């Protein structure tokens, strides 16, 4: 606990249990704020949300066995989105490991493939080292999940406390400063580009490189697309912003395949971003900037690469471009405008369509408000229609696509940024997976606003069935007899049902101005599809625009 304090940890999210009673006892004498959860998955997502909003490691602490297995989804979610999550799990005493003791699970084995690093502490004297190493590894280089397993006897043993123990990790040397030769090649390629395009990923937000990204894009006059994790890295209202690239992208999907040079920054080019790789950017030289060398050439061959921190790499590229200049082709600008003009969004349906709900939410929120989404249609509608003006204000489960993430992550963000309004946009399906965390928001004084887009359907799956399974809807209808207003009230939160955009706007403004947790249910049409869409495995230009 003292090591955590000295390392600047402010919050621990978790649930106690037999194996961690001695650790929890120390909370009584600590300045660290303990946020008791209602299910360990929610606690892990809270720590993840805290980490994403603060840039500092988020800490979750749970007991052995079921406590540990309950955080697996949270650990994997954070790892896939490169969020610095540190999980401490209790374990049966070392002498009982391997005996199938009560609440024994080999959590080191279970989480080996979903953590950046995991470690079992076997001597009390190693605790300060393990805690420091965990915080360090999770939050440096490419960030990610770390798990430290502590057998119970280790927590009751006596040992000398040595905070100053050095953390030296052979072979772990993240590269921040880019190699000038790599930068030089990248600048040369970029300065010769006739049709440059930038794709910005979550790495731009993680390294705080929004300003440098804009400068490079402007120097090149390069239209700039984002991945889902990179949303917000360039403001939605910037003239060069192309929005999302990939399965539910629009303008970006038409522009990227025509690039002759593609600058990819802090993005791993997942299938959801590229579609069929052969059609992604067939004639482009790819310049890949990433802090994780193993991402370069993983999914797409690069022409040139810069390994390092996105902010430093973009600053170096910017400086190089200032000297070398860029082509800034007029024809390319005209072509991009032509492609953009062909992407007109039409409101299909009545007044309260989800895109309009997204715009109403945006209008009611200040630019610095923090927003999370859950997973499903509403998430993709948010990616398309919810404008983001400041990097790091939009958070979503991109890699794992974890339903149930939005609400607990929002609570974790509120813990990190108590003076900032925090809002979660959820579908009814995902909301119910972790809705019990409302009680944490209310009782722990971490008020958030939740908008539940209620289509009484597992909407995204229904969409795939409508589009690709001849409309055979299976396993998707949800006939909950839930009264959302009453449900919210029973947790001590405000509950509102908004049936028009006006009612929604008014409810949101009230909620954001108050210090109460509020749930706003917005009934929506179960027949809506998120369009445009590229069918899985197709190319970026194979866009379906009509249902
Ligand atoms: C934990 C988890 N289980 C299942 C899925 C598969 N899945 C993806 S989207 C979706 C439907 C989401 O429904 P809802 O939360 O109501 O949101 P909507 O799509 O209607 O906006 C499902 C079941 C998932 N992503 N995560």
């Amino acid at each position: 606990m003292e090591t955590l304090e000295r390392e600047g940890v402010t919050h621990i999210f978790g649930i106690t249990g037999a194996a961690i009673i001695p650790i929890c006892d120390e909370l009584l004498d600590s300045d660290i704020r303990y946020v008791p959860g209602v299910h360990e998955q929610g606690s892990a997502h809270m720590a993840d949300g805290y980490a994403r909003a603060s840039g500092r490691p988020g800490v979750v602490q749970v007991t052995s066995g079921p406590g540990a297995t309950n955080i697996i989804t949270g650990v994997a979610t954070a790892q896939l989105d490169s969020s610095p999550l540190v999980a401490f799990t209790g374990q049966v005493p070392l002498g009982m490991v391997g005996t199938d003791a009560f609440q024994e699970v080999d959590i080191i084995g279970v989480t080996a493939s979903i953590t950046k690093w995991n470690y079992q502490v076997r001597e009390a004297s190693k605790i300060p080292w393990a805690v420091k190493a965990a915080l360090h590894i999770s939050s440096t280089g490419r960030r990610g999940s770390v798990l430290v397993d502590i057998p119970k006897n280790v927590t009751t043993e006596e040992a000398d406390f040595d905070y100053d123990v050095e953390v030296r990790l052979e072979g772990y040397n993240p590269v921040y400063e880019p190699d000038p030769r790599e930068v030089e090649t990248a600048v040369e390629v970029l300065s010769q580009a006739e049709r440059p395009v930038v794709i910005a990923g979550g790495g731009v937000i993680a390294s705080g490189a929004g300003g440098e990204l804009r400068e490079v894009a402007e120097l090149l006059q390069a239209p700039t697309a984002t991945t889902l994790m990179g949303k917000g890295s360039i403001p939605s209202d910037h003239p060069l912003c192309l929005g999302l690239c990939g399965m539910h992208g629009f303008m970006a999907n038409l522009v990227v395949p025509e690039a002759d040079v593609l600058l990819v920054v802090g993005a791993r080019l997942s299938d959801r971003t590229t579609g069929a790789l052969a059609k992604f950017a067939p004639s482009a030289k790819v310049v890949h900037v990433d802090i994780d060398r193993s991402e370069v050439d993983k999914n797409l061959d690069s022409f040139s690469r810069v390994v390092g921190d996105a902010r430093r790499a973009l600053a170096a590229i910017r400086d190089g471009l200032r000297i070398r200049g860029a082509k800034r082709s007029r024809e390319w600008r005209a072509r991009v405008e032509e492609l953009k003009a062909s992407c007109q969004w039409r409101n299909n349906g009545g007044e309260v369509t989800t895109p309009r709900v997204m715009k109403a939410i945006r209008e009611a929120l200040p630019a610095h408000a923090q927003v999370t989404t859950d997973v499903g249609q509403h998430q993709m509608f948010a990616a398309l229609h919810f404008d983001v003006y400041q990097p790091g204000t939009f958070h979503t489960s991109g890699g794992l696509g974890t339903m149930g993430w939005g609400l607990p992550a929002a609570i974790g963000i509120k813990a990190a940024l108590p003076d900032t309004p925090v809002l979660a946009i959820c579908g009814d399906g995902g909301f119910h997976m972790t809705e019990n965390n409302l009680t944490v928001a209310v009782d722990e004084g971490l008020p958030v606003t939740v908008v539940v887009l209620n289509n009484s359907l597992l909407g995204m799956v229904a969409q795939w069935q409508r589009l690709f399974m001849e409309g055979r809807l299976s396993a998707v209808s949800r006939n909950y007899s839930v009264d959302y207003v009453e449900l919210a009230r029973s947790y001590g939160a405000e509950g509102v049902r908004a049936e028009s955009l006006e009612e929604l706007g008014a409810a949101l403004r009230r909620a954001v101005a108050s210090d109460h947790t509020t749930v706003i249910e917005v009934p929506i049409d179960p027949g809506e599809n998120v369009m445009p869409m590229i069918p899985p495995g197709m190319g970026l230009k194979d866009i379906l625009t009509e249902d």
Side-chain angles (χ1 to χ4, degrees):
M1 208 59 69
E2 187 170 340
T3 309
L4 287 171
E5 277 173 16
R6 291 215 211 168
E7 292 288 304
V9 169
T10 58
H11 290 69
I12 295 178
F13 303 89
I15 296 187
T16 189
I20 58 169
I21 287 174
I23 301 180
C24 288
D25 186 67
E26 294 297 327
L27 285 167
L28 294 173
D29 301 321
S30 170
D31 291 336
I32 295 178
R33 168 142 187 227
Y34 181 65
V35 180
V38 284
H39 183 292
E40 289 86 351
Q41 179 186 351
S43 299
H45 294 330
M46 285 178 206
D48 181 7
Y50 175 99
R52 294 188 198 213
S54 68
R56 297 195 307 271
V59 176
V60 59
Q61 177 186 289
V62 297
T63 193
S64 66
T69 53
N70 270 355
I71 61 169
I72 289 172
T73 301
V75 170
T77 303
Q79 171 69 1
L80 274 173
D81 287 346
S82 306
S83 169
L85 176 80
V86 175
F88 291 102
T89 50
Q91 184 56 279
V92 300
L94 269 180
M96 294 173 84
V97 165
T99 66
D100 291 339
F102 179 64
Q103 296 192 327
E104 179 189 358
V105 163
D106 170 18
I107 200 67
I108 292 293
V110 170
T111 58
S113 65
I114 52 166
T115 48
K116 184 173 171 187
W117 184 68
N118 68 12
Y119 180 79
Q120 187 176 65
V121 189
R122 299 196 175 152
E123 293 161 44
S125 62
K126 279 271 194 182
I127 289 175
W129 177 87
V131 170
K132 283 167 82 167
L135 295 168
H136 174 69
I137 293 172
S138 74
S139 58
T140 49
R142 178 177 182 174
R143 299 167 180 174
S145 291
V146 162
L147 184 140
V148 176
D149 193 38
I150 314 182
K152 189 168 181 181
N153 63 298
V154 174
T155 67
T156 52
E157 245 170 54
E158 298 230 341
D160 288 335
F161 176 63
D162 178 14
Y163 173 74
D164 296 324
V165 57
E166 196 188 344
V167 176
R168 247 201 335 198
L169 299 154
E170 291 296 329
Y172 181 68
N173 299 303
V175 175
Y176 285 86
E177 207 51 62
D179 182 332
R181 285 164 304 182
E182 291 184 345
V183 173
E184 201 181 311
T185 314
V187 169
E188 192 180 314
V189 177
L190 289 165
S191 67
Q192 295 305 313
E194 301 277 354
R195 302 185 306 281
V197 177
V198 179
I199 295 189
V204 173
I205 293 170
S207 76
E212 288 75 7
L213 176 81
R214 271 206 307 279
E215 288 173 326
V216 168
E218 285 166 8
L219 280 166
L220 293 167
Q221 278 302 302
T224 300
T226 72
T227 67
L228 182 58
M229 294 302 295
K231 184 174 169 67
S233 53
I234 181 161
S236 301
D237 55 357
H238 190 287
L240 289 170
C241 180
L242 289 176
L244 188 71
C245 180
M247 186 169 272
H248 290 284
F250 204 4
M251 295 185 291
N253 289 8
L254 300 183
V255 175
V256 168
E258 297 196 9
D260 70 340
V261 174
L262 191 62
L263 173 61
V264 179
V265 190
R268 62 190 168 89
L269 299 175
S270 85
D271 56 292
R272 286 298 193 263
T273 296
T274 62
L277 279 168
K279 295 183 177 176
F280 174 56
S283 41
K285 289 178 175 169
V286 174
V287 178
H288 200 159
V289 175
D290 208 287
I291 198 156
D292 182 354
R293 187 179 294 275
S294 68
E295 283 303 342
V296 178
D297 297 330
K298 185 179 86 177
N299 292 336
L300 195 69
D301 287 341
S302 63
F303 182 84
S304 112
R305 62 214 57 90
V306 180
V307 175
D309 170 62
R311 186 171 187 178
R312 296 187 203 184
L314 284 172
I317 289 172
R318 173 201 62 203
D319 295 346
L321 284 173
R322 281 190 182 146
I323 295 165
R324 269 193 180 252
K327 297 239 164 171
R328 302 162 71 97
S329 148
R330 240 180 236 185
E331 292 82 58
W332 178 228
R333 234 179 302 165
R335 174 68 180 149
V336 172
E337 288 312 315
E338 185 188 351
L339 290 170
K340 280 165 75 172
S342 71
C343 298
Q344 293 305 327
W345 174 73
R346 283 189 309 280
N347 187 57
N348 294 326
E351 186 212 334
V352 188
T353 59
T354 310
R356 284 187 163 166
V357 168
M358 295 302 160
K359 293 184 191 312
I361 296 174
R362 180 69 281 173
E363 273 168 31
L365 289 185
H368 72 288
Q370 291 274 325
V371 173
T372 69
T373 77
D374 214 82
V375 169
Q377 286 183 305
H378 63 282
Q379 177 191 32
M380 291 300 125
F381 274 125
L384 277 165
H385 298 284
F386 181 79
D387 286 348
V388 177
Y389 305 124
Q390 296 178 10
T393 55
F394 179 83
H395 308 273
T396 194
S397 168
L400 201 65
T402 304
M403 284 172 71
W405 185 84
L407 167 60
I411 296 169
I413 292 172
K414 189 70 186 177
L417 304 172
D419 300 326
T420 305
V422 184
L423 178 127
I425 302 173
C426 300
D428 49 304
F431 172 68
H432 285 306
M433 287 193 179
T434 54
E435 129 223 318
N436 50 359
N437 289 286
L438 283 172
T439 197
V440 180
V442 172
D443 296 339
E444 291 298 313
L446 298 169
V448 296
T449 304
V450 190
V451 173
V452 181
L453 287 146
N454 182 13
N455 54 10
S456 301
L457 201 68
L458 296 174
M460 184 55 97
V461 180
Q463 168 165 342
W464 282 48
Q465 291 169 338
R466 282 194 291 261
L467 294 175
F468 312 124
M469 301 293 285
E470 293 157 6
R472 287 160 58 84
L473 296 193
S474 168
V476 290
S477 69
R478 313 298 300 251
N479 293 315
Y480 294 125
S481 42
V482 177
D483 179 327
Y484 287 84
V485 174
E486 289 303 323
L487 176 129
R489 287 182 185 159
S490 74
Y491 280 114
E494 302 283 333
V496 183
R497 186 179 161 97
E499 307 212 18
S500 68
L501 296 177
E502 235 170 49
E503 282 174 15
L504 171 62
L508 276 168
R509 273 181 266 272
R510 259 200 322 274
V512 168
S514 82
D515 50 10
H516 293 299
T517 290
T518 305
V519 177
I520 305 172
E521 179 205 6
V522 185
I524 51 160
D525 176 1
E528 263 185 309
N529 283 341
V530 190
M531 287 293 164
M533 178 175 192
I534 316 168
M538 306 289 276
L540 282 191
K541 287 212 180 197
D542 302 323
I543 298 183
L544 303 177
T545 48
E546 297 294 333
D547 303 11

